[in-house]
Amino acid sequence: MVVFPVILCGGAGTRLWPASRPNSPKQFLDLVGDLSLFQETARRVAPLTEGGGRLIIVAGEGHRDAIVQQLAALSLEATVLLEPEGRDSAAAMAAAAVWIRRRSPDGIALFVASDHHIPDAEAFRRSVMAGAPAAADGEIVTFGVRPTGPSSAYGYIEPESPGLSRVRRFVEKPDRERAEAYVRDGFLWNSGNFMVRADVLLAELEAFAPEVAAAVTEAVPETADDIVLLSDAFLGSPRISIDYAVMERSARVSVLPVDFRWSDLGAWDAVAAVEAGQKGVWVGAPGDTCLVRAAEGMVVATAGVRDLAIIVESDAVLVCSLDRAQEVKALVDRIRQTSPAHAEGRTTATLEQQAQAFDRWMRLEALPLWATLGVDEDGGFHETLDQGGANASPFRRARVQARQAWAFSVAGLAGWTGPWSRLVSEGLDRFEATNRRPDGLYRTLVSNTGEVIDDTALLYDQAFALLAFAGAVEAGVEPERLTARAHALREALAAFAHPAGGWREAGADPYQANAHMHLLEACLAWEALEPGGAWTAMADEIVGLARRFFIEPRGGALREFFEADWSPAGAPLGGPIEPGHQFEWAWLLTRWGRARGDDWASAAAVRLYEAGMRGVDAARGVAVDQLGEDVELRFSRARLWPQTERLKAALILGRGGPDGRTAEALKSLRRYLQPGGLWRDKQESDGRFVEEPAPASSLYHIVAAWIQLRETLSVDPGGGAPS
């Protein structure tokens, strides 16, 4: 017998408001210990997979991050089936059954709720093994808990006889009087947990709910991935619980009486009964008996009160008598009418609201921080800032000096009222003094006091110098002087010209797409200031290279490295593929194509975007650093900058509405941003961020995404709703 534990993560736990809300449902809360209920469940059932089974989680896409992070904390592996939209328990269980049947025709699915409290894990596992033979023989074995007393909070099961037996009937939650009668007559609490062979469950669904079986079977893709996104075919399933679809209609259902301690923790009185639900700081007078949960940083004080639930969150407080805990659901329904955000939680924020929050973070936190702590007295920009806001680097790179100047120019154009003009002027003056070589090109690296560390002139750095000059000129900072400087630098680029077209980079990899990408960005910026002429010709030459050589014609992915004749440096794609660059080129080609009316560029941009999306790790929802040459996910680290490029491309291509790809891209970026204006740069495969200083180079990427977001959504800098 091979057992596949299936944890169902649906439901929001409304009766446990305000701790449990859609953005933080009860299964992911630490209600009765250091672990969440979901983690307790996963650790309880994981040993049952020995012998070839696999832990399976069924949940909505919105809970992906919580599941991945909480499993990683326990070092547990699982297959996670993500529903595009909830369709109740029948469809969720059918999805797991389809997945299991494809891998183990006789596999037994053990369906358990993610939010139940069973402190004796070993007793639970013994009960599972006691019921497994019947399940292997084709029975649907549900677990009926012997009541410890009458309760109107649970449904009941009437068995036909003692021990494992057929179910005579299921009954809904009774009133107190009927509950007492049920207990006297030997009824069992319906735990909602059961086990059944996957093929048997699907056969019963095909008999009693064929629309569920058909839609879900089509929705489960053939894949070995740990994170499985169910297709939109799932939405064709009717909303129906497994109780109504199968359990109350099938002739195969048996019940196994069990004695382990069990609670579904359905309301605050159930949490209080466990006697392990207190949290936070509570100071009570002698004789006070309450369930108190205080949010971090808060203290709750009581005097002369008994049998109350006092639940304090950062934005909401509940005080109720424990014997009326079942009424909280009705309270939440009323709150939903008067203050939906407090009822539902932060996940109700629309794309526009998320954009407003990002805009406020930029204007009120990030830009002020880097305009003060990120600038030296001589006008040069710091490379990094540690968590205390101190410079953590002994050198300055040309690209960072140019990027910071561009970022503050663009911020000024966007209406930011900080000292952007002075920062740009002084920063570019210092850059000119320390980095400009006699040949008119800019050296790559100097010390914080201006001594030359590396005199190499990189094409990559020249591209950013041109971009910085364009941004300053557009913002009105020394336009004549900086225009002349840009023209001189453009002429100096002849030193990089390549006979086969385009420009060579200095260093070990002279033939690459990356420097051309940023040179194209600079040319488009100057073309907007000086239409036609040399800038337009340069931009067209770069796009011509992209069309002939950089972009693989069949798959549409962007190659990175080349030989001297611009053929790929190694078959077939010239090395690993970077999702961030797919997005970045998609953004640039869309701009160029719209300016030229070029259909090829528009189509190529879409293909590049889709190639980049293959680098989005479904488990974490972030774009990783690299894909393999087969354009499949191979590298798990995920830096900040690909998230900004994903957002820019999604915005300019109009990818998805409020709940679509644009919203997901903005969400992935905001994971990296910290209160106060700093950010994290690198995320590991388990979702943890590397603790290191924040690199200033990221501001260029963040500002570019910010500007594209403002342009696309017409974000009002005054804080009003976007148009």
Side-chain angles (χ1 to χ4, degrees):
M1 294 179 293
V2 181
V3 176
F4 293 82
V6 180
I7 302 177
L8 304 171
C9 281
T14 306
R15 290 180 176 84
L16 294 175
W17 184 89
S20 177
R21 287 183 264 187
N23 71 307
S24 56
K26 73 171 184 174
Q27 58 263 35
F28 301 120
L29 303 178
D30 52 348
L31 286 178
V32 292
D34 294 333
L35 299 179
S36 72
L37 297 176
F38 168 74
Q39 287 175 308
E40 284 191 352
T41 303
R43 193 162 68 174
R44 181 167 62 249
V45 302
L48 294 167
T49 62
E50 294 181 6
R54 173 82 171 171
L55 181 61
I56 301 171
I57 319 294
V58 186
E61 284 195 70
H63 297 154
R64 173 176 54 193
D65 291 348
I67 290 169
V68 170
Q69 292 167 12
Q70 293 198 6
L71 286 175
L74 298 177
S75 298
L76 289 178
E77 295 183 353
T79 294
V80 183
L81 306 180
L82 294 175
E83 304 168 310
E85 184 178 294
R87 280 295 184 269
D88 216 320
S89 58
M93 292 177 179
V98 169
W99 190 94
I100 294 167
R101 185 175 63 176
R102 288 175 181 171
R103 287 152 184 83
S104 177
D106 296 325
I108 297 173
L110 168 66
F111 293 104
V112 297
S114 60
D115 55 2
H116 290 183
H117 178 57
I118 302 174
D120 191 342
E122 185 57 39
F124 172 82
R125 290 192 289 268
R126 285 197 302 268
S127 296
V128 170
M129 298 315 295
D137 287 340
E139 292 293 301
I140 302 175
V141 181
T142 186
F143 300 105
V145 179
R146 289 192 175 94
T148 56
S151 173
S152 58
Y154 304 136
Y156 286 75
I157 300 173
E158 182 182 10
E160 289 187 352
S161 60
L164 178 64
S165 74
R166 292 289 185 187
V167 170
R168 178 170 286 134
R169 61 172 170 147
F170 292 91
V171 293
E172 299 291 342
K173 298 175 183 179
D175 56 27
R176 179 72 179 187
E177 184 178 350
R178 288 192 178 185
E180 291 174 348
Y182 289 158
V183 172
R184 286 195 306 269
D185 294 341
F187 283 48
L188 304 167
W189 285 338
N190 185 0
S191 71
N193 303 319
F194 68 91
M195 61 194 310
V196 59
R197 279 204 335 248
D199 63 326
V200 170
L201 180 63
L202 291 173
E204 295 298 272
L205 283 167
E206 288 165 1
F208 299 117
E211 292 130 333
V212 174
V216 175
T217 299
E218 182 182 350
V220 181
E222 292 276 6
T223 176
D225 293 343
D226 289 344
I227 304 294
V228 180
L229 301 177
L230 304 181
S231 77
D232 286 347
F234 190 82
L235 303 179
S237 172
R239 297 177 186 268
I240 185 171
S241 73
I242 197 67
D243 292 341
Y244 291 126
V246 173
M247 303 299 278
E248 295 181 2
R249 306 171 70 183
S250 173
R252 293 175 175 264
V253 183
S254 298
V255 60
L256 176 69
V258 296
D259 292 303
F260 51 73
R261 186 179 174 192
W262 167 85
S263 172
D264 71 352
L265 298 182
W268 288 117
D269 57 342
V271 176
V274 174
E275 299 181 350
Q278 303 284 356
K279 184 178 180 182
V281 181
W282 170 37
V283 179
D288 287 3
T289 57
C290 299
L291 170 67
V292 177
R293 294 177 64 87
E296 185 176 355
M298 295 186 179
V299 60
V300 172
T302 63
V305 294
R306 299 175 61 84
D307 300 328
L308 295 180
I310 303 174
I311 315 300
V312 180
E313 294 293 321
S314 60
D315 63 338
V317 177
L318 169 73
V319 179
C320 79
S321 175
L322 286 171
D323 63 6
R324 299 180 65 177
Q326 296 294 325
E327 298 178 27
V328 171
K329 184 178 186 299
L331 282 177
V332 174
D333 291 339
R334 292 169 57 189
I335 294 169
R336 192 173 286 115
Q337 299 301 315
T338 58
S339 182
H342 288 92
E344 303 297 331
R346 285 188 294 274
T347 54
T348 57
T350 64
L351 172 61
E352 289 77 10
Q353 289 169 331
Q354 291 187 59
Q356 288 290 352
F358 180 35
D359 183 71
R360 288 192 296 271
W361 179 84
M362 283 297 309
R363 291 184 293 103
L364 304 180
E365 300 180 54
L367 290 170
L369 175 73
W370 290 89
T372 51
L373 301 183
V375 184
D376 206 338
E377 292 180 356
D378 63 8
F381 299 105
H382 294 322
E383 280 277 332
T384 60
L385 290 179
D386 64 21
Q387 291 298 309
N391 177 30
S393 177
F395 57 80
R396 296 175 185 169
R397 291 180 296 167
R399 66 194 61 181
V400 169
Q401 303 305 302
R403 283 178 167 187
Q404 296 298 85
W406 175 85
F408 285 114
S409 295
V410 172
L413 287 167
W416 182 61
T417 57
W420 61 269
S421 181
R422 174 180 59 80
L423 292 168
V424 173
S425 179
E426 293 180 359
L428 289 179
D429 284 348
R430 184 61 179 170
F431 177 59
E432 185 78 4
T434 60
N435 289 72
R436 193 172 190 271
R437 305 191 322 180
D439 60 0
L441 299 170
Y442 292 86
R443 60 179 58 94
T444 188
L445 194 65
V446 300
S447 71
N448 284 336
T449 53
E451 290 84 5
V452 177
I453 298 175
D454 187 343
D455 197 50
T456 305
L458 296 172
L459 179 62
Y460 188 96
D461 292 339
Q462 315 314 308
F464 277 110
L466 288 172
L467 183 66
F469 300 155
V473 170
E474 185 181 5
V477 177
E478 303 181 56
E480 292 184 9
R481 187 158 71 96
L482 292 179
T483 297
R485 199 180 291 180
H487 289 176
L489 178 55
R490 185 184 66 204
E491 297 303 318
L493 289 182
F496 294 92
H498 181 40
W503 292 263
R504 291 173 293 197
E505 180 59 282
D509 295 304
Y511 310 107
Q512 54 176 273
N514 192 16
H516 286 86
M517 177 179 69
H518 293 297
L519 192 57
L520 174 59
E521 182 180 15
C523 289
L524 292 177
W526 275 105
E527 182 181 317
L529 299 170
E530 300 177 354
W535 301 113
T536 297
M538 287 179 67
D540 291 350
E541 181 176 355
I542 294 168
V543 172
L545 283 173
R547 185 170 187 169
R548 295 194 307 276
F549 304 113
F550 296 169
I551 299 173
E552 194 274 323
R554 288 181 300 175
L558 177 88
R559 302 178 174 112
E560 299 285 351
F561 299 101
F562 304 86
E563 304 292 350
D565 61 356
W566 294 116
S567 62
L573 293 179
I577 303 301
E578 297 194 28
H581 286 162
Q582 313 300 310
F583 295 131
E584 209 162 356
W585 275 96
W587 179 69
L588 287 167
L589 283 182
T590 299
R591 294 172 56 197
W592 182 89
R594 289 175 180 174
R596 305 294 192 273
D598 189 290
D599 292 338
W600 170 85
S602 300
V606 172
R607 295 175 75 194
L608 285 164
Y609 175 80
E610 294 301 332
M613 286 301 296
R614 294 177 72 171
V616 174
D617 181 0
R620 291 173 287 160
V622 296
V624 301
D625 290 359
Q626 291 184 344
L627 294 169
E629 290 194 37
D630 54 0
V631 200
E632 293 296 334
L633 198 151
R634 293 286 185 272
F635 304 90
S636 58
R637 194 180 70 171
R639 294 188 61 192
L640 181 152
W641 73 266
Q643 320 315 317
T644 65
E645 306 316 306
R646 175 188 174 192
L647 177 59
K648 286 162 53 182
L651 286 162
I652 203 168
L653 291 172
R655 280 298 183 263
D659 300 318
R661 287 180 166 184
T662 297
E664 284 298 312
L666 179 55
K667 181 181 177 182
S668 77
L669 171 59
R670 292 185 66 198
R671 290 190 184 103
Y672 289 75
L673 309 181
Q674 295 180 281
L678 294 176
W679 44 78
R680 284 82 62 90
D681 181 49
K682 301 181 186 73
Q683 187 191 68
E684 302 294 0
S685 59
D686 60 2
R688 291 179 294 183
F689 287 96
V690 176
E691 295 298 329
E692 60 182 348
S697 59
S698 298
L699 186 62
Y700 151 77
H701 291 285
I702 296 170
V703 165
W706 173 53
I707 295 302
Q708 185 64 63
L709 190 69
R710 289 169 57 88
E711 291 178 357
T712 303
L713 299 182
S714 302
V715 178
D716 174 12
S723 62

Short mmCIF file of all heavy atoms in Angstrom, two decimals, residues 139 294 378 584:
data_model
loop_
_atom_site.label_atom_id
_atom_site.label_comp_id
_atom_site.label_asym_id
_atom_site.label_seq_id
_atom_site.Cartn_x
_atom_site.Cartn_y
_atom_site.Cartn_z
N GLU A 139 -12.74 0.78 -0.23
CA GLU A 139 -13.63 1.53 0.64
C GLU A 139 -13.18 3.00 0.74
O GLU A 139 -12.00 3.32 0.57
CB GLU A 139 -13.63 0.93 2.05
CG GLU A 139 -14.28 -0.43 2.14
CD GLU A 139 -15.77 -0.37 1.86
OE1 GLU A 139 -16.48 0.35 2.58
OE2 GLU A 139 -16.22 -1.02 0.89
N ALA A 294 -2.08 39.09 21.84
CA ALA A 294 -1.67 40.49 21.62
C ALA A 294 -0.65 40.56 20.50
O ALA A 294 0.31 39.78 20.47
CB ALA A 294 -1.10 41.07 22.90
N ASP A 378 31.69 65.07 -1.80
CA ASP A 378 32.25 65.55 -3.06
C ASP A 378 31.27 65.42 -4.22
O ASP A 378 31.62 65.74 -5.37
CB ASP A 378 33.56 64.82 -3.37
CG ASP A 378 33.37 63.31 -3.58
OD1 ASP A 378 32.22 62.85 -3.63
OD2 ASP A 378 34.39 62.60 -3.69
N GLU A 584 13.95 42.82 -20.58
CA GLU A 584 14.49 44.15 -20.87
C GLU A 584 14.49 44.43 -22.38
O GLU A 584 14.12 45.52 -22.83
CB GLU A 584 15.91 44.23 -20.31
CG GLU A 584 16.34 45.62 -19.91
CD GLU A 584 17.53 45.63 -18.97
OE1 GLU A 584 18.00 44.54 -18.55
OE2 GLU A 584 18.01 46.73 -18.66
#
